Amino acid sequence: FVRNVFNQSTIVIDKFHVMKNVFEAVQSVRLRIKNQLMEQLPKGRKKTNEDEQILTDLELLSRCKYLLTKAYCDLNEYQKELITQLFDRFQELEKAYQLAETFRKWYDKNNCSKPRIIIEQELFEWYKLVETSHLNEFKSTVKMIEKHEDNILNYFQNAITNAKAENMNGKIQRFITNNYGIRDKDFALYRIAKYFS
């Protein structure tokens, strides 16, 4: 149907899902570091000063979970101080965050004015950054991006995704759920057409 009616349309992967995948890689680095610290904690003996430092680090890792998904420019002063403390303790996590930030800047709407060849070159540079970082958590993310590269790059043609359609679909799904068990299907479809037109 789409090929026949909208023959000039292109498939665009939703930006939200791609970015979610990138930030999941950052969270995987955080969890790996957290698990390594947990293994260092003593079991059944008195805690030393070194153990107290591990507990402090674990608390810091927990508190910064959501900060690692936000852009650095969107952080307030307290959050910037907190994330700086985190990066001072764990350089590997800073490297992962910087990779995510670089990808976020590449995926920005403002880059749509650039020629496609430059956008592709910047993406290949990001691949190289990931490779030199030696962070295994990003390998699956890079594979996913490479697999859907053309459809991701299509975003830069018009800076449009299907986010509005997904939002509308979610609203319709909630409407149907709230009106579950309705007997008059024609009237239900009429209401949907009126509410969401």
Side-chain angles (χ1 to χ4, degrees):
F1 172 78
V2 172
R3 283 195 196 99
N4 291 336
V5 178
F6 305 108
N7 53 10
Q8 293 184 351
S9 62
T10 53
I11 296 172
V12 179
I13 301 269
D14 193 21
K15 187 176 175 180
F16 169 80
H17 296 293
V18 178
M19 289 307 301
K20 183 174 178 252
N21 215 297
V22 171
F23 287 116
E24 281 174 359
V26 177
Q27 292 300 329
S28 296
V29 173
R30 185 186 70 83
L31 288 173
R32 176 173 50 79
I33 293 168
K34 193 174 178 182
N35 290 337
Q36 288 170 350
L37 289 172
M38 295 282 275
E39 288 172 8
Q40 292 175 16
L41 278 175
K43 291 174 178 66
R45 67 175 170 82
K46 193 176 179 181
K47 289 182 176 40
T48 62
N49 289 341
E50 191 179 298
D51 299 333
E52 293 297 328
Q53 182 59 50
I54 291 172
L55 289 171
T56 305
D57 289 344
L58 286 169
E59 176 67 26
L60 187 61
L61 283 165
S62 295
R63 288 172 69 191
C64 291
K65 178 180 180 180
Y66 296 107
L67 295 182
L68 294 170
T69 61
K70 291 179 81 174
Y72 189 78
C73 59
D74 294 338
L75 300 175
N76 63 36
E77 290 305 313
Y78 171 73
Q79 291 171 331
K80 285 180 181 176
E81 188 181 313
L82 202 62
I83 212 161
T84 303
Q85 286 177 7
L86 182 73
F87 293 157
D88 287 344
R89 296 286 302 145
F90 308 105
Q91 282 78 33
E92 217 176 10
L93 196 53
E94 181 178 15
K95 209 185 292 184
Y97 182 76
Q98 291 303 329
L99 284 172
E101 279 294 285
T102 305
F103 190 80
R104 187 200 309 260
K105 286 175 187 164
W106 172 81
Y107 217 163
D108 193 52
K109 194 175 192 175
N110 296 330
N111 289 339
C112 292
S113 59
K114 293 180 182 177
R116 187 176 173 110
I117 190 92
I118 291 173
I119 292 169
E120 286 179 14
Q121 285 173 347
E122 289 175 355
L123 181 60
F124 295 142
E125 286 169 15
W126 186 78
Y127 290 157
K128 287 178 189 169
L129 283 173
V130 170
E131 196 176 314
T132 56
S133 72
H134 303 293
L135 293 171
N136 293 330
E137 289 83 359
F138 276 85
K139 284 182 179 176
S140 62
T141 303
V142 168
K143 280 183 186 173
M144 182 275 300
I145 292 169
E146 285 175 337
K147 182 179 178 186
H148 302 288
E149 194 172 281
D150 288 335
N151 295 337
I152 290 170
L153 289 169
N154 285 341
Y155 166 76
F156 294 99
Q157 287 177 355
N158 300 310
I160 295 173
T161 66
N162 66 338
K164 287 182 181 178
E166 284 197 29
N167 184 16
M168 181 64 70
N169 189 39
K171 286 180 181 178
I172 292 170
Q173 291 298 326
R174 280 192 298 281
F175 179 85
I176 291 169
T177 302
N178 291 339
N179 293 292
Y180 183 75
I182 197 162
R183 291 191 177 121
D184 190 349
K185 288 182 183 176
D186 291 334
F187 182 64
L189 291 172
Y190 170 77
R191 284 176 65 196
I192 287 172
K194 288 294 178 191
Y195 284 151
F196 302 108
S197 61

